[in-house]
Amino acid sequence: TAGLMEHEIEPDKYILGPDDGIVVSIFASKPMQYELRISPEGKLIIPEVGVVNLRNKTLAQADTLVRSAVRRVFKTADVVIALNKLRTFKVTVLGAVRKPLTVEASAADRVHEVIERAGGLLFNASLRRIRILRGDGEQTIPVDLYRFYTLGDREADPTVLGGDRIMVSYSQDRQVLQINGSVARPDTLEYVKGDSLSTLLRFAGGFTPSSFLDSVEI
């Protein structure tokens, strides 16, 4: 699935980076179209216009910046920019995986796909205690693959960026939640800060038709 798109890119969320491919179309008295690449420094060099710094900018922000730069040169021009190639980059997977290593990924790839390229999780790996360390480690993004696999929550399985380190913890049996009785799937799972009774019930598939809602015990 490397690089395959699951849906259209959201311009206000996609962060551009080196080697992303950009098409700039300028509709002036003489229409022009350029197929460009973002430089390793995060800059876009547009012929006859100049340099636009797109480092850490979203596609939506890039659209505004490029339009502004072009219109300083071509006063009446209409400008359209589009992403035509996704960059690839390195992501390191560490911890409770079969082959801790650095793998190739794209900005369309999610954590579970990158982990599979490292051989998948060990039998005693935690599905709920996974972290993305971004940048120099100043940003930590929690990942909960149990929530993703059980509820299909894509927010719990975020996409990756170049240089990310995915840290997979080992499971532990000291802080756990159990749910039993008249639910679809009785289960035992790791506790994660923020879990609530409603979260646990969703993981268990909800109440059965025969359950008594006034007889729930914690």
Side-chain angles (χ1 to χ4, degrees), residues 14 19 56 99 128 175 186-187 207 211:
Y14 184 86
D19 207 37
N56 295 326
K99 295 183 294 183
R128 307 200 68 198
Q175 289 188 316
D187 201 0
F207 293 110
S211 60

Side-chain angles (χ1 to χ4, degrees), residues 4-26:
L4 296 179
M5 302 294 297
E6 60 185 6
H7 54 72
E8 65 277 5
I9 283 175
E10 297 182 48
D12 59 343
K13 291 185 178 180
Y14 184 86
I15 300 175
L16 293 166
D19 207 37
D20 269 330
I22 301 289
V23 175
V24 179
S25 300
I26 304 171

Side-chain angles (χ1 to χ4, degrees), residues 106-165:
S106 80
D109 290 323
R110 295 188 178 274
V111 169
H112 83 274
E113 297 172 300
V114 177
I115 289 175
E116 284 302 313
R117 285 173 217 151
L121 298 169
L122 293 175
F123 75 95
N124 57 345
S126 170
L127 285 174
R128 307 200 68 198
R129 297 178 184 271
I130 301 172
R131 296 170 294 146
I132 298 175
L133 302 182
R134 185 159 290 172
D136 293 327
E138 67 275 4
Q139 185 180 5
T140 301
I141 302 168
V143 178
D144 187 345
L145 292 186
Y146 188 89
R147 179 182 286 271
F148 171 69
Y149 289 137
T150 305
L151 306 178
D153 182 357
R154 285 201 294 255
E155 294 295 321
D157 181 29
T159 53
V160 295
L161 291 179
D164 280 352
R165 286 164 291 158

